[in-house]
Amino acid sequence: MHMAHIPSGCGCDSLSSRADMMSVTDALDRALALVAPITDTQPVAVGDALGRTTAAPVRAKRAMPFFDNSAMDGFALRRADLAGRCCLPIAGTVAAGDAPRDLPQGAALRIFTGAPLPLGADAVAMIESCIDKTDKVHFNCTPTKGENIRRAGSDQAAGQELLRAGIRIAPHHIGLLAANGIAQVDVIRRPRVAIFSTGDEVQDGTCAPGQIPDANRPMLMALARQAGAAVTDLGILPDDAAATAAALHGLGAQFDLILSSGAVSMGGKDHIRDALTAAGGTVHGWRVALKPGKPVMFGTLGRAAFTGLPGNPFAVFVGFHMFALPQIDRLLGAKPAPFAPVPAVAGFDWSRKSGRAEVFPVRLLAYDENGLPVLQRLGHSVSATLLPLGDADGLAIVPAETNQIQSGARLFWRPFCANGGL
């Protein structure tokens, strides 16, 4: 009996002994070997930089804070002026955004958080330790030197690295750049990704009897855009090798990656491999020891990588995350993350046929006594339906040699949310 033990990463090493299929690890290596990091860069406004990837380290132009300022609402004073006294006259107010001003001798200035420290002041007494008498202020105690003052440059020095190269810019990065007065940042050009579906049975509009809506193309376009790509919709190609070859001709010079769904298996209308070759492309690998998604194809067309995914929607979803997403990451200069790096435990029993690694949707039920997520398996290993994804919190994987899982067995999974939480 084989339990669901995965030694490292997502555990897809040695996934199949079948000579006619690549292991998942070998397939990923093959997919990544067909793409190289994009070297083209472009400047974008910080407000438009969300989701873009930094092309070079971004450094602070100035020290931060830009000037000495108050960390509290209160009163700026010269400590020596309080010698033998408990009160000082209030000579005015300094608010955030005001120009720096001198502190009059023997007086205090009302000051608000973020306001520039008056020249000559050496402390700020917070308002809670004072009694504001409108024209003068009573100090309950003398503040220490430098108390409640944020000194210029105390947060960061000029030239401080704010973002490394290869960082995908998130909202908090935009805030950091804006706070430093950086209005423009150099980013990697978006990968140009073309996407098409195949099949006479799939349609965009009204379906005739025997036809179905095309789910794969809209889903792949959304996934690729989410990954940071610039996506071109190539529509639906018919089940015809000559027409598909004609449609593919010349695309290799326009795109970095071409994604297809359908027509990569062994049926009479599975013509993608022949069409790619007829269009001047090359097939570099085909068939992976993976369920769902065995008939994945890796190729090149001109300078573009070509990844042919199966036709069933859940297999397309899995294939994108396992192979196409790492390709896009590499194009952007990022290190592709492992498919399923998060440890978990099974909250179910399952007997399955060994021989291929299997990916399946899961729901997070709870956490065990060790803090590991307990996962419920969803669906029935049907690659044609996306319904289980509606209730799923992520995808889990078991290696090819596993034929039985018992509740409590170790799993590895890929949460849809970033932190793997509920």
Side-chain angles (χ1 to χ4, degrees):
M1 179 182 297
H2 296 290
M3 299 304 294
H5 171 70
I6 303 180
S8 63
C10 69
C12 301
D13 297 324
S14 302
L15 289 178
S16 176
S17 60
R18 299 185 182 185
D20 61 340
M21 288 192 288
M22 296 177 282
S23 72
V24 170
T25 299
D26 290 342
L28 179 58
D29 289 344
R30 189 77 55 92
L32 292 177
L34 302 180
V35 293
I38 294 170
T39 57
D40 301 336
T41 66
Q42 59 184 153
V44 297
V46 164
D48 297 325
L50 183 64
R52 304 302 296 271
T53 300
T54 53
V58 182
R59 299 188 179 277
K61 297 178 180 179
R62 298 170 56 185
M64 180 79 77
F66 296 156
F67 47 83
D68 292 349
N69 65 87
S70 177
M72 293 280 184
D73 290 346
F75 293 89
L77 69 150
R78 186 181 295 103
R79 294 171 65 254
D81 291 340
L82 270 181
R85 305 172 67 179
C86 64
C87 296
L88 291 174
I90 299 173
T93 298
V94 188
D98 288 351
R101 58 177 291 185
D102 292 335
L103 175 66
Q105 198 73 32
L109 285 171
R110 186 179 288 107
I111 194 167
F112 296 108
T113 303
L117 186 71
L119 301 177
D122 57 12
V124 172
M126 62 181 179
I127 197 167
E128 293 85 351
S129 67
C130 303
I131 301 174
D132 189 346
K133 298 184 176 182
T134 307
D135 60 341
K136 65 179 180 179
V137 55
H138 173 84
F139 295 92
N140 294 329
C141 59
T142 302
T144 59
K145 185 175 182 180
E147 187 171 341
N148 298 321
I149 294 174
R150 294 177 66 234
R151 294 294 182 186
S154 59
D155 290 346
Q156 67 187 40
Q160 169 78 41
E161 184 175 272
L162 303 175
L163 298 179
R164 301 187 308 275
I167 292 292
R168 188 163 184 192
I169 298 174
H172 60 280
H173 297 136
I174 290 176
L176 175 63
L177 298 175
N180 276 270
I182 295 173
Q184 186 173 277
V185 61
D186 289 334
V187 299
I188 300 293
R189 170 181 61 77
R190 291 189 187 276
R192 300 181 183 120
V193 177
I195 294 173
F196 67 89
S197 293
T198 65
D200 296 333
E201 76 279 14
V202 292
Q203 294 293 318
D204 279 332
T206 303
C207 294
Q211 295 181 329
I212 58 174
D214 182 9
N216 292 340
R217 204 169 89 259
M219 180 172 63
L220 281 174
M221 289 191 294
L223 288 167
R225 289 190 180 109
Q226 185 181 61
V231 176
T232 298
D233 180 3
L234 296 184
I236 302 170
L237 298 182
D239 284 326
D240 182 85
T244 300
L248 294 179
H249 184 74
L251 294 183
Q254 302 175 42
F255 299 101
D256 303 296
L257 175 64
I258 302 170
L259 300 178
S260 67
S261 62
V264 287
S265 192
M266 301 179 69
K269 293 195 173 184
D270 291 316
H271 59 273
I272 286 293
R273 285 174 293 142
D274 291 339
L276 178 63
T277 302
T282 303
V283 176
H284 294 274
W286 177 59
R287 301 183 82 228
V288 182
L290 175 66
K291 182 179 181 180
K294 178 172 67 175
V296 176
M297 184 202 77
F298 305 108
T300 50
L301 181 63
R303 66 175 185 83
F306 191 112
T307 298
L309 300 173
N312 281 328
F314 183 57
V316 169
F317 188 80
V318 170
F320 177 88
H321 284 92
M322 297 203 77
F323 306 117
L325 179 58
Q327 287 179 311
I328 294 173
D329 285 342
R330 175 157 289 184
L331 286 165
L332 286 168
K335 182 180 179 181
F339 169 72
V342 182
V345 295
F348 57 91
D349 298 324
W350 183 27
S351 296
R352 62 178 292 274
K353 183 179 179 180
S354 61
R356 288 190 282 164
E358 186 161 354
V359 176
F360 50 97
V362 290
R363 178 190 294 134
L364 176 56
L365 295 177
Y367 293 90
D368 70 5
E369 64 276 7
N370 298 313
L372 290 175
V374 179
L375 304 179
Q376 175 189 6
R377 174 174 168 254
L378 301 177
H380 303 285
S381 298
V382 178
S383 62
T385 178
L386 295 172
L387 182 62
L389 288 178
D391 288 327
D393 295 309
L395 301 174
I397 187 170
V398 293
E401 65 270 15
T402 298
N403 59 22
Q404 187 159 345
I405 296 173
Q406 293 179 349
S407 183
R410 179 64 64 93
L411 294 173
F412 283 83
W413 76 308
R414 180 191 190 96
F416 290 151
C417 59
N419 60 8
L422 285 168

